[in-house]
Amino acid sequence: MKKTLRTSETRLLLCLLVAFWLPRIYFLATEGNRARALTSLGPSILGRTVLLDFGYLGYTVFPVWFFKALLPGWKKPAIGFESLVLLVTLWSSFSEPFFIHEIQARYNFIAVDYLVYTHEVLDNIWQSYPMARIIAAFLLALGTLLFGVYSWRKPVSWECFSPGNPIGTRLRNAAVALGVVLGGHFAIAEGRTLDGVETFSQEVAKNGTYSLFAAYRENELDFDRFYPSLPFEQAWETELRERRRRPPGKLRVDRVRTRAFPSRPNVVVVLM
């Protein structure tokens, strides 16, 4: 076990695993119904959690390890890409709890929509939260993790990334990494739901960063869930009652009183 923890790849996976679970723990802790929170961690949900985390690794870490296995001299660029993956994942873990606090859901297309209005959203976040302290804590955590992964007690690499491996071994190891990448792309669907499992448990299973990029790719949102509306029958009955109260021949137009426009208005409104 100690020998395994001396490898930078194992340390990286452990750090990513902790980062994956930070938003999940927050999501569970903020659930008012503790019994519901505990029962949401069933075998099917834990299995889907592992599957989605594995899918995220297939898009991020395993492509790096493909080249690392094929080209052992590619060590420094690989460390740079691995550090970038750790940075993005950790930042997502730091920021997602604030999204959960506002929306009561994991990352989805609403978060993607926020990125379109970056200026307004950032101003609102900066005014609402102590961002200087949050950024300082993030940088401290990132520096600590990078030191622990790549510098603490001089870690080594897995044997499959050894420069002394023959070309056949390199190709075999690279093929395994490529198989994980392709398997994660074609076999794992982030938007797929489990039959008979409530929405809260489905949210627990999500991988936040994976969900964010999947929402950007799929470009869709469950409108009825986040923007509740009246059932069609009830809405139609309400409209009929309003029509009966309206005098015959009268349009439903509210009278708006405004001041006269200046003689030379400098505002032009274009209606598409």
Side-chain angles (χ1 to χ4, degrees), residues 97-138:
F98 300 103
F99 183 82
I100 294 173
H101 177 73
E102 296 291 338
I103 309 297
Q104 288 77 50
R106 307 291 300 277
Y107 274 150
N108 51 47
F109 191 74
I110 296 177
V112 178
D113 202 32
Y114 282 173
L115 298 178
V116 177
Y117 305 97
T118 306
H119 180 73
E120 293 82 355
V121 172
L122 288 181
D123 283 347
N124 184 30
I125 292 175
W126 196 269
Q127 295 172 11
S128 303
Y129 300 100
M131 291 306 300
R133 297 180 183 180
I134 293 172
I135 294 175
F138 166 75

Side-chain angles (χ1 to χ4, degrees), residues 35-37 39-40 45 194-204:
R36 182 189 184 193
T39 55
S40 65
I45 295 301
L194 298 175
D195 295 333
V197 178
E198 62 175 347
T199 303
F200 178 82
S201 299
Q202 306 274 5
E203 292 289 311
V204 172

Side-chain angles (χ1 to χ4, degrees), residues 61-87:
V61 174
F62 278 93
V64 180
W65 288 352
F66 167 78
F67 290 102
K68 195 174 179 180
L70 195 61
L71 305 170
W74 203 63
K75 183 177 180 180
K76 289 185 178 180
I79 291 177
F81 280 105
E82 290 172 351
S83 301
L84 180 62
V85 171
L86 184 58
L87 183 151

Side-chain angles (χ1 to χ4, degrees), residues 130-157:
M131 291 306 300
R133 297 180 183 180
I134 293 172
I135 294 175
F138 166 75
L139 293 176
L140 178 61
L142 179 63
T144 303
L145 293 180
L146 289 176
F147 174 79
V149 171
Y150 298 109
S151 300
W152 183 59
R153 292 189 177 181
K154 298 180 179 179
V156 296
S157 292

Side-chain angles (χ1 to χ4, degrees), residues 165-191:
N165 289 335
I167 186 64
T169 303
R170 295 181 192 178
L171 291 174
R172 183 172 63 252
N173 295 335
V176 172
L178 182 61
V180 173
V181 174
L182 296 177
H185 177 74
F186 290 106
I188 300 175
E190 196 278 338

Side-chain angles (χ1 to χ4, degrees), residues 26-41 200:
Y26 179 85
F27 189 66
L28 290 168
T30 54
E31 169 59 30
N33 189 338
R34 296 303 174 88
R36 182 189 184 193
L38 292 176
T39 55
S40 65
L41 296 176
F200 178 82

